[in-house]
Amino acid sequence: MQATQTDEPQAPSALQIASNVSELRAAVAAARTQGKSIGLVPTMGALHAGHLSLIEASRRECDYTVVTIFVNPTQFGPSEDFERYPRTLDADLAGIRRLGAELAFVPATSELYRPQHATFIEVHGPAEPLEGQRRPGHFRGVATIVLKLFNLAAPDRAYFGQKDYQQTLVVRRMVADLDLPIEVRVCPTVREPDGLAMSSRNVYLGPAERQQALTLYRSLQQGAELFAAGERNAETLATEMRKLYEAAPLVRLEYLAVADPETLAPIARVSSRAVIAVAAQVGKTRLIDNYLLES
Ligand code: AMP
């Protein structure tokens, strides 16, 4: 096992880096023996302040934080960006180290998907609409890797971002259905100063695209304002929000849905709660965002 000391003498803790399953299991078992609670933060790397907020939450709530960096091939469709997904390992490890997490798990693809791999987790219900329709197989890949990481790290709590709202529903459904003894914690979406949700994919955006990408956030704001002013008709809300996209020719709206926040089923009227979920293609980059309406 490679133990990496930080260069700074006052660093909060030494970050241990595990690259295979047995190193991860041994490190977590040792922490357990010391009576420590375990927090897990699954990521695909290219870390930004959104990811770091999850690590901070785990550091606050758990004694031992495991951050995983794994660009999971099974959640990418054949025409998606697996090959060109940003990979910034050195900077990622520096960020993880700075926040004082105890362990980074950085496996090769072949470590988690051995050649004979033949088992996948299929979640129905909340995995089916929206992203499920647009990205067939995506949540099958997500659920499979998340369950593997849950099995390997056996955390008390696992940290996810609201940015991927549907993913949090899928993970919660899987945890409940499979009786996993894990608390799923969902942290708020971290945004750029102008409101764009932070995403590892934002680096793909050219300057004009970056400007127009703000339409996603603006439309959510618009929905929130209309809701605050008393509008409860879901179609009216959606229609008003969609109008903003007419002024953004580089943004191709895939869906904008006002939906039940638990099932993601379409709703006609917002009673007390709803989620606005939006996905759009900005140039070659696909972005998602969401906002919870609560009265
Ligand atoms: P990813 O590396 O994109 O798979 O994301 C890893 C985790 O970070 C997921 O739980 C995401 O929901 C979360 N995350 C990504 N972007 C943000 C953000 N802007 N704010 C909060 N959490 C985020």
Side-chain angles (χ1 to χ4, degrees), residues 13-247:
S13 69
L15 175 68
Q16 188 177 335
I17 301 170
S19 58
N20 63 49
V21 160
S22 49
E23 288 170 355
L24 170 64
R25 284 200 196 272
V28 170
R32 280 265 176 239
T33 306
Q34 294 164 29
K36 293 182 173 169
S37 59
I38 312 288
L40 175 70
V41 183
T43 83
M44 298 205 298
L47 301 187
H48 51 63
H51 299 110
L52 300 183
S53 75
L54 306 184
I55 300 174
E56 283 168 343
S58 174
R59 290 274 295 140
R60 277 196 303 277
E61 298 175 357
C62 305
D63 303 319
Y64 190 91
T65 293
V66 179
V67 182
T68 70
I69 299 177
F70 182 67
V71 186
N72 174 37
T74 63
Q75 71 187 69
F76 288 78
S79 59
E80 293 182 4
D81 57 346
F82 174 69
E83 295 297 341
R84 66 178 193 123
Y85 194 83
R87 288 162 172 87
T88 59
L89 184 59
D90 290 344
D92 292 350
L93 292 176
I96 296 169
R97 187 175 285 124
R98 182 167 49 78
L99 294 184
E102 280 72 16
L103 183 72
F105 179 49
V106 189
T109 307
S110 57
E111 184 67 17
L112 293 187
Y113 294 107
R114 291 174 285 276
Q116 307 305 323
H117 187 99
T119 305
F120 293 90
I121 300 295
E122 192 103 30
V123 180
H124 294 274
E128 287 171 347
L130 307 181
E131 293 297 288
Q133 285 191 341
R134 300 282 170 162
R135 303 182 70 188
H138 170 67
F139 286 123
R140 178 181 189 254
V142 168
T144 301
I145 196 64
V146 169
L147 183 63
K148 279 173 71 74
L149 294 172
F150 283 0
N151 281 331
L152 290 168
D156 299 277
R157 299 183 192 88
Y159 294 82
F160 296 87
Q162 193 194 315
K163 157 80 173 21
D164 297 275
Y165 184 78
Q166 190 171 5
Q167 172 171 280
T168 67
L169 295 183
V170 171
V171 171
R172 281 191 197 284
R173 190 73 259 142
M174 177 180 76
V175 164
D177 291 350
L178 301 183
D179 305 297
L180 304 178
I182 295 169
E183 187 184 342
V184 175
R185 306 281 287 145
V186 176
C187 300
T189 302
V190 176
R191 298 180 179 280
E192 299 289 354
D194 63 2
L196 180 69
M198 289 198 178
S199 163
S200 304
R201 291 187 166 101
N202 289 350
V203 298
Y204 300 147
L205 297 169
E209 293 170 347
R210 170 66 184 79
Q211 264 305 312
Q212 294 191 22
L214 209 48
T215 312
L216 279 77
Y217 175 65
R218 293 218 176 104
S219 68
L220 296 174
Q221 269 188 318
Q222 166 90 341
E225 280 166 22
L226 291 170
F227 180 75
E231 183 57 65
R232 293 293 181 270
N233 183 302
E235 196 43 51
T236 307
L237 287 167
T239 303
E240 290 304 312
M241 288 184 273
R242 285 191 195 112
K243 283 183 186 162
L244 297 186
Y245 291 82
E246 289 163 16

Side-chain angles (χ1 to χ4, degrees), residues 244-293:
L244 297 186
Y245 291 82
E246 289 163 16
L250 299 177
V251 181
R252 194 161 47 77
L253 189 59
E254 282 192 10
Y255 62 76
L256 189 157
V258 181
D260 180 286
E262 316 299 335
T263 64
L264 298 180
I267 52 175
R269 277 190 70 75
V270 184
S271 50
S272 57
R273 295 177 76 234
V275 62
I276 310 171
V278 55
Q281 197 79 34
V282 186
K284 284 194 164 69
T285 308
R286 190 173 184 280
L287 301 179
I288 59 172
D289 203 346
N290 68 84
Y291 189 83
L292 269 177
L293 299 176

